[in-house]
């Protein structure tokens, strides 16, 4: 006879669980993780804490260093992600893997001020707020370590976030914050796993319903390794803003795919013009050439940007390109057919070319995710 097993009085109480989980997304940070661990150990004395390193299978073996720390201290945990990349997704997985009442996100590059963590915990415990943001842009905060280019980009992104998404905090681009885990779980299903701006996503998704306090801190200089941010982060940010403006009806990845498709349209029309107007190729052939050139361009950009968390490398690039041609074949046939039909009725090359190129967008996106950049 089956019996329900009930917890005995000897079951460990809630007091034995960590009160704070510090989530640290990592990629090629082996020189920093031990230093960060020692700093957390010193500053969180008196708080029941754990640190969850979420590593995207770093080539430098960051996860091996973390595993070494975990063998010596049970408060250290490692989530090693295979076939996935991205700071936002890493933060989401790390927070959801925790049972602590509060979750903090801090970078592994030692630029955030971990000494602010006890103050953040205290503010959440008091009930004054549900989200505490480490801010560089309020009185007492500083981002003097930024170069002019990064400072300008951060200021612009902050202004866009405040005006377009009605985000009222001073530093929505901050990567240093602490949140009540139960409130995070209420928002988690609506957050994007792509991109880098997890805090902006949280605040925009909450739509002003998350009680927030900002505390100042000084943004430090990176001590080891190189920044993981590149010029493509700007498009990630733009895609996130557009996704939130549509109330997440469409995904950030689809918006990035569509933006790449917009560049493909320019490439397509340029190739069509050259083939048809300059080399006097028949329209059907010129349209096919334009479509092929645009597909190649789209594949390269999508591999570099839209699917960079699943980026194809080495021989897989050639295989992926061939699959991309294959799955877009049906769209190409429709593309040429529709464009030729329109041109036959109204011989305006650019109108016919644009109509044909737009036919395959949804098909290409669906099939690309299914066959070309499928998760393994």
């Amino acid at each position: 006879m089956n019996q329900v097993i009930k917890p005995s009085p000897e079951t460990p109480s809630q007091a034995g669980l960590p009160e704070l989980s510090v989530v640290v997304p990592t990629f090629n940070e082996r020189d920093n993780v031990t230093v960060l661990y020692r700093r957390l150990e010193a500053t969180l004395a008196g708080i029941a804490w754990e640190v969850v390193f979420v590593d995207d299978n770093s080539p430098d073996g960051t996860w091996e260093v973390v595993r070494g720390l975990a063998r010596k201290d049970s408060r250290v945990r490692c989530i090693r992600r295979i076939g996935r990349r991205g700071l936002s997704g890493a933060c989401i997985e790390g927070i959801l893997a925790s049972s602590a009442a509060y979750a903090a996100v801090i970078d592994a590059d030692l630029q955030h001020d971990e000494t602010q963590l006890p103050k953040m915990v205290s503010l959440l415990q008091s009930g004054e707020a549900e989200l505490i943001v480490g801010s560089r842009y309020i009185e007492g905060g500083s981002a003097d370590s930024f170069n002019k280019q990064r400072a300008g980009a951060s200021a612009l992104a902050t202004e866009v976030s405040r005006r377009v998404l009605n985000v009222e905090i001073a530093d929505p681009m901050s990567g240093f914050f602490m949140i009540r885990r139960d409130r995070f779980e209420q928002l988690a299903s609506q957050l994007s796993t792509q991109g880098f701006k997890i805090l902006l996503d949280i605040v925009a998704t909450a739509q002003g319903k998350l009680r927030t306090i900002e505390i100042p801190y000084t943004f430090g200089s990176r001590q080891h390794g190189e920044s993981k941010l590149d010029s493509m982060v700007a498009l990630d940010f733009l895609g996130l803003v557009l996704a939130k403006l549509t109330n997440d009806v469409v995904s950030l990845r689809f918006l990035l795919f569509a933006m790449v498709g917009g560049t493909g349209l320019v490439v397509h029309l340029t190739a069509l013009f050259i083939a048809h107007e300059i080399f006097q190729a028949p329209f059907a052939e010129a349209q096919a050439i334009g479509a092929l050139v645009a597909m190649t361009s789209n594949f390269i950009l999508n591999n570099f940007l839209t699917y960079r968390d699943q980026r194809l490398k080495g021989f897989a690039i050639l295989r992926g390109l061939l699959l991309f041609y294959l799955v877009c074949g049906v769209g190409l046939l429709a593309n040429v057919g529709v464009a030729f039909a329109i041109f036959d009725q109204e011989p305006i090359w650019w109108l016919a070319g644009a109509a044909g190129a737009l036919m395959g967008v949804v098909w290409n996106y669906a099939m690309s995710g299914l066959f070309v950049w499928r998760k393994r």
Side-chain angles (χ1 to χ4, degrees):
M1 180 177 178
N2 294 331
Q3 294 181 340
V4 176
I5 299 177
K6 298 181 180 180
S8 67
E10 291 75 29
T11 299
S13 67
Q14 293 295 320
L17 296 174
E19 184 175 22
L20 170 65
S21 286
V22 182
V23 176
V24 186
T26 60
F27 185 73
N28 287 344
E29 298 282 4
R30 67 174 295 128
D31 293 331
N32 293 332
V33 293
T34 300
V35 178
L36 178 59
Y37 162 71
R38 297 299 182 196
R39 291 185 180 184
L40 293 175
E41 190 176 36
T43 198
L44 294 176
I47 298 175
W49 63 280
E50 67 174 356
V51 57
V52 182
F53 290 94
V54 186
D55 186 69
D56 288 352
N57 198 30
S58 297
D60 74 347
T62 298
W63 54 273
E64 293 178 311
V65 178
V66 175
R67 291 274 172 81
L69 292 172
R71 282 191 286 269
K72 299 176 182 178
D73 188 339
S74 61
R75 296 175 299 183
V76 179
R77 297 170 56 198
C78 178
I79 298 176
R80 181 185 177 191
R81 305 200 306 170
I82 305 294
R84 330 196 271 293
R85 289 279 299 276
L87 185 145
S88 291
C91 293
I92 292 170
E93 289 190 36
I95 294 175
L96 294 181
S98 166
S99 296
Y102 313 120
V105 170
I106 187 170
D107 286 350
D109 55 17
L110 309 177
Q111 292 178 292
H112 294 156
D113 183 3
E114 75 287 342
T115 64
Q116 298 299 319
L117 292 173
K119 181 179 181 180
M120 291 176 161
V121 171
S122 179
L123 287 169
L124 291 180
Q125 287 176 328
S126 71
E128 294 181 58
E130 300 164 312
L131 171 68
I132 311 296
V133 176
S135 179
R136 301 159 293 186
Y137 303 134
I138 61 175
E139 185 177 355
S142 172
D144 290 342
S145 62
F146 278 175
N147 58 36
K148 289 184 178 180
Q149 180 181 4
R150 188 170 179 185
S154 180
L156 176 61
T158 298
E159 190 65 20
V160 169
S161 301
R162 297 178 69 178
R163 291 183 178 274
V164 177
L165 298 180
N166 297 316
V167 171
E168 296 182 355
I169 63 176
D171 193 0
M173 299 296 108
S174 177
F176 181 34
F177 63 91
M178 187 182 296
I179 189 171
R180 279 176 40 178
R181 189 178 54 81
D182 59 344
R183 293 293 281 120
F184 180 84
E185 289 195 350
Q186 294 171 359
L187 302 170
S189 63
Q190 303 171 61
L191 302 178
S192 172
T193 58
Q194 281 85 52
F196 287 80
K197 299 306 176 184
I198 179 67
L199 175 63
L200 173 61
D201 198 359
I202 290 172
V203 175
T205 300
Q207 298 180 337
K209 299 177 182 178
L210 201 59
R211 287 182 286 114
T212 304
I213 291 177
E214 294 186 80
I215 63 173
Y217 84 101
T218 298
F219 189 79
S221 300
R222 168 176 279 273
Q223 297 189 19
H224 303 286
E226 299 179 355
S227 174
K228 309 304 182 296
L229 303 182
D230 55 37
S231 59
M232 294 297 101
V233 171
L235 288 181
D236 272 346
F237 169 74
L238 178 59
L240 178 59
V241 170
L242 292 174
K244 292 306 168 186
L245 283 176
T246 63
N247 292 319
D248 296 303
V249 172
V250 291
S251 70
L252 170 58
R253 197 187 295 277
F254 178 78
L255 287 170
L256 291 174
F257 191 91
M259 284 191 286
V260 168
T263 67
L265 177 60
V266 175
V267 172
H268 178 95
L269 295 179
T270 300
L272 174 61
F273 173 78
I274 293 173
H276 183 62
E277 297 295 315
I278 297 179
F279 290 97
Q280 300 298 310
F283 179 78
E285 294 179 12
Q287 175 70 358
I289 291 171
L292 188 65
V293 173
M295 283 198 302
T296 304
S297 171
N298 285 355
F299 172 81
I300 294 171
L301 288 176
N302 278 316
N303 192 52
F304 184 66
L305 171 63
T306 310
Y307 294 96
R308 64 179 177 183
D309 57 324
Q310 300 163 229
R311 187 175 294 167
L312 303 177
K313 298 179 180 180
F315 179 75
I317 294 178
L318 177 59
R319 178 178 177 274
L321 178 60
L322 294 176
L323 280 172
F324 192 72
Y325 288 154
L326 182 62
V327 299
C328 293
V330 174
L332 177 59
L333 292 176
N335 180 331
V336 175
V338 169
F340 190 79
I342 292 176
F343 187 80
D344 191 48
Q345 297 294 321
E346 191 69 42
I348 303 176
W349 67 269
W350 60 267
L351 177 62
L358 292 174
M359 275 296 295
V361 173
V362 175
W363 170 270
N364 290 346
Y365 175 72
M367 294 299 102
S368 293
L370 188 60
F371 293 105
V372 182
W373 288 282
R374 66 185 185 276
K375 289 187 177 181
R376 293 171 173 81

